[in-house]
Amino acid sequence: IITLNTHYANIGAASPNYNVISGNIYDGIEIYSKNTTVNGNIIGLNFDMTNPLSNSDNGIDVEVDSVKIGAVEINVVGGNSNNGIYLNNVNACEIDRCFIGTDPTTFSVGLGNQGSGIYVLNGQNNNVGLVASNTIVDHVNTGSAGVTVDAGVGTKINNNLIGIVSNGNTIANDIGIQLINGANNNLIGNVLNLDKNVISGNTSSGILIEGSATTNNAVRGNFIGVGIDGVVSAPNNIGIVECNAVAENY
């Protein structure tokens, strides 16, 4: 599916009328139209959400500002050959209510995307989990993450389950969240646990902040390495890693 030179398009519908957008040669969905919404789709999996049926690149490729993914209905995005959702140098996009790398009922394993669950490249003021939680698990290839922010500015990552699902079981990503290549002024969580992420069970690290230009990022009020209740242990290998001369993160 490609949206081009239009506005206010909606892709998808409420259950049981989901689109299944899988097995395509390139991306599952490419968006070039502002104010598009994506609600109620299965992308990269079969209809039963039991096996990958990969799109050969990203599940959703966003190339324009002000797109809302999961504003009303859930999307299930897994099994794609690159990233689940890719924001390419865009601004003011929102991702909510997505199950990325698993299904929403049985939390099956083996449904991860081959790249990151969400990859934000450049762009400003994008939101992951603004109004409702995303579940992002099972991105296991070395260097892949639940969420990657690559040189992005002002990204807010709140209210998400990353490496863990709502029943408390862990389904690891390699890295939970990574900020790289000069990503700056991004916010992971918020004060007083009001918008906390639960970042637990990941193979390498819960949060990786890397590079000398990756600065002024805030990590606040999250559960890292514990369960959803904040009581039981659900460890990452390392909770937070800052490396390669990172400065001024707090």
Side-chain angles (χ1 to χ4, degrees):
I1 295 176
I2 298 176
T3 69
L4 184 65
N5 297 328
T6 185
H7 295 282
Y8 299 100
N10 180 63
I11 301 169
S15 177
N17 298 311
Y18 291 152
N19 294 308
V20 179
I21 306 170
S22 301
N24 296 289
I25 294 173
Y26 193 52
D27 298 311
I29 301 172
E30 294 180 5
I31 301 173
Y32 296 90
S33 301
K34 280 190 174 183
N35 302 300
T36 296
T37 59
V38 182
N39 296 291
N41 301 279
I42 299 167
I43 303 169
L45 304 174
N46 63 0
F47 177 72
D48 294 332
M49 296 179 284
T50 54
N51 289 294
L53 189 58
S54 303
N55 298 296
S56 295
D57 201 351
N58 302 293
I60 304 172
D61 181 349
V62 180
E63 299 283 340
V64 69
D65 299 347
S66 304
V67 170
K68 293 185 177 182
I69 299 173
V72 179
E73 297 287 337
I74 68 170
N75 296 288
V76 183
V77 186
N80 297 288
S81 297
N82 200 349
N83 305 294
I85 300 172
Y86 179 54
L87 305 185
N88 184 19
N89 196 24
V90 297
N91 308 310
C93 293
E94 299 177 13
I95 302 171
D96 300 290
R97 295 185 181 87
C98 290
F99 288 81
I100 303 174
T102 193
D103 70 281
T105 53
T106 64
F107 304 121
S108 297
V109 300
L111 303 181
N113 302 284
Q114 296 301 304
S116 292
I118 297 171
Y119 200 109
V120 180
L121 178 62
N122 298 312
Q124 298 183 29
N125 302 321
N126 295 295
N127 293 280
V128 178
L130 178 66
V131 297
S133 176
N134 300 289
T135 298
I136 310 169
V137 298
D138 210 8
H139 300 91
V140 298
N141 291 333
T142 300
S144 65
V147 181
T148 296
V149 180
D150 182 346
V153 178
T155 309
K156 294 181 180 178
I157 305 171
N158 312 120
N159 301 310
N160 301 289
L161 302 179
I162 300 176
I164 192 168
V165 296
S166 60
N167 66 8
N169 290 337
T170 57
I171 307 176
N173 303 292
D174 183 45
I175 301 164
I177 298 171
Q178 59 181 349
L179 308 180
I180 58 176
N181 295 331
N184 65 88
N185 292 286
N186 301 290
L187 175 62
I188 300 174
N190 209 335
V191 297
L192 300 177
N193 302 122
L194 296 177
D195 293 307
K196 69 178 179 294
N197 301 286
V198 184
I199 308 165
S200 299
N202 297 289
T203 303
S204 178
S205 56
I207 298 172
L208 171 65
I209 302 172
E210 183 174 18
S212 59
T214 304
T215 62
N216 294 310
N217 299 291
V219 180
R220 300 175 179 172
N222 301 284
F223 287 175
I224 302 172
V226 297
I228 294 169
D229 59 3
V231 176
V232 300
S233 176
N236 306 288
N237 186 44
I238 302 172
I240 300 175
V241 176
E242 294 187 313
C243 63
N244 295 337
V246 172
E248 297 180 6
N249 297 292
Y250 53 95

